[in-house]
Amino acid sequence: MGTRTRRVAWLAAVAAALAAVAAALVLGGDRGGGGPSAVAGGVDRTRFGEVIPANAPGQTMYMERVTIGPGARLPEHFHQGTQIARIVSGELTLNVVSGTASVRRGDGGGGEEVTGPAVVTLGPGDVVVETQGLVHFGANESDRPVVVDLAALLATGAPLATTTGTGLQGMDVRLTAELVSSDRSLFSAGPAGTVVYGWNRLRGTATLDGQPVGVDMLGAVNYTAGSGPFSGFVTFSFADGSTIGVAMNGAAQPAPGTADATFAATLGVVGGTGRYVDAMGTGTFVGTRTEALGTTVAATFDLTLTGAR
């Protein structure tokens, strides 16, 4: 089975899982809020339910229906997690600003990868998977409402959509570093060793306000042909002795035909010391690797903190 065929099959399985997600949620009729629902011009959300899955600590799952009126559009945004959406009725114009969206056509026309900047039109039955780091927005350019059902697994406390160009309330911290693998234990399995699992410890140094910040990432991976989930913890050690610890959950995506890969994850603060002892918050991690698994990763961490001194 080729990579494209496997991805189409995966998307089909995920779409079918929407019904199972609904059964797992606590159904109700409360009105959802946050993110694009605040945009004027005929955008409305109905929250069906939400749940904190036992197998995804630090994450909350939502199921919603979004109705976009004629001529309305959502703001440019991204999700601090993964969202899967199915068009129930109408025609949605999806604008991919950056990143890649996975689309499966409801008419059996197969799947496609849409990499920004690009625009794609989605109709009834079409399914789109929006992963962390995908910057995009939807619009209704028709004269009829667009109805979309969606399920999202996001960092607990994160908004349903994070609008680009605006920070969340609190202290915004951006740290960039070249992370080098200092220790790892990786194993191969599956046909031709395409499955790689285990853990990898990467370390590097960032700079904040002219002072060095140590970055220590410990990640567990489960990749098939270079693609798959990773999770773990990152500790940031500041020059004054303060630290911040965050949990991460994300996914890796390889570049076809190369050793390159991109990474995106949501972050949730689990604790801190010193001036960050009372800190809470969320954030994102994006990274790139241009060589084989276990080599240097160019990393960017964006944190929004509350309670920092």
Side-chain angles (χ1 to χ4, degrees), residues 251-271:
Q253 180 67 49
T258 73
D260 298 2
T262 58
F263 308 90
T266 56
L267 306 174
V269 174
V270 295

Side-chain angles (χ1 to χ4, degrees), residues 20-81:
V21 172
L25 295 173
V26 181
L27 297 181
D30 63 305
R31 308 295 288 182
S37 63
V39 176
V43 179
D44 182 69
R45 289 181 181 267
T46 298
R47 177 79 55 80
F48 292 137
E50 64 183 78
V51 67
I52 298 178
N55 63 333
Q59 307 282 296
T60 299
M61 180 178 287
Y62 305 90
M63 176 166 274
E64 292 194 336
R65 171 164 289 184
V66 179
T67 301
I68 306 172
R73 56 158 284 179
L74 306 177
E76 183 179 300
H77 65 278
F78 66 94
H79 303 290
Q80 295 185 41

Side-chain angles (χ1 to χ4, degrees), residues 196-209:
V196 176
Y197 66 96
W199 58 267
N200 188 16
R201 187 174 189 179
L202 300 101
R203 294 175 172 175
T205 302
T207 302
L208 182 66
D209 297 330

Side-chain angles (χ1 to χ4, degrees), residues 1-10:
M1 181 182 292
T3 301
R4 179 181 178 86
T5 303
R6 286 197 301 270
R7 178 165 289 277
V8 172
W10 175 76

Side-chain angles (χ1 to χ4, degrees), residues 178-194:
E178 295 287 321
L179 302 182
V180 179
S181 178
S182 62
D183 194 12
R184 57 187 179 271
S185 183
L186 300 172
F187 302 90
S188 297
T194 54

